[in-house]
Amino acid sequence: MAQYRQNRIAEEIKKNLDRIIREELRDPRVCGTFSITRVEPTRDLRSAKVYVSALEEDKLDDLVKALKGASGLLRHALGARLSVRYTPELFFLPDRNIA
């Protein structure tokens, strides 16, 4: 049962975070084609690893740096949209599995 909730929250984080980044984040480093490939929340849902990939491999590191810099803003906006007691702390990591 706990695994089901963890997976459901991971999908909610992925969907809402993608929307927040595309619509509300105004950073020139966050441009081009990118995607959130997966979200791995911890069992207690206090933190989550967010894996992102970019179509242009050379811009992936700048994208991850921009998202790390905006993690507080993203966490706040995510907390307003999720129905959980604690909004997880977000850790952005590059996903280079596409290459």
Side-chain angles (χ1 to χ4, degrees), residues 57-70:
E57 186 71 29
D58 57 331
K59 294 185 180 181
L60 182 60
D61 291 330
D62 288 336
L63 172 66
V64 171
K65 286 179 187 176
L67 293 175
K68 284 181 181 179

Side-chain angles (χ1 to χ4, degrees), residues 4-5 8 13 20 27 31 33-34 39-40 45 59 69 72 78 89-96:
Y4 171 76
R5 183 168 190 261
R8 184 179 53 85
I13 291 172
I20 293 167
D27 191 324
C31 62
T33 306
F34 72 92
V39 176
E40 295 177 352
L45 302 175
K59 294 185 180 181
L78 187 64
E89 186 175 352
L90 304 171
F91 297 100
F92 293 96
L93 301 167
D95 188 3
R96 291 184 166 82

Side-chain angles (χ1 to χ4, degrees), residues 10-20 36:
E11 285 301 314
E12 286 293 315
I13 291 172
K14 182 178 174 181
K15 180 180 71 171
N16 287 306
L17 199 56
D18 186 59
R19 181 176 295 142
I20 293 167
I36 298 174

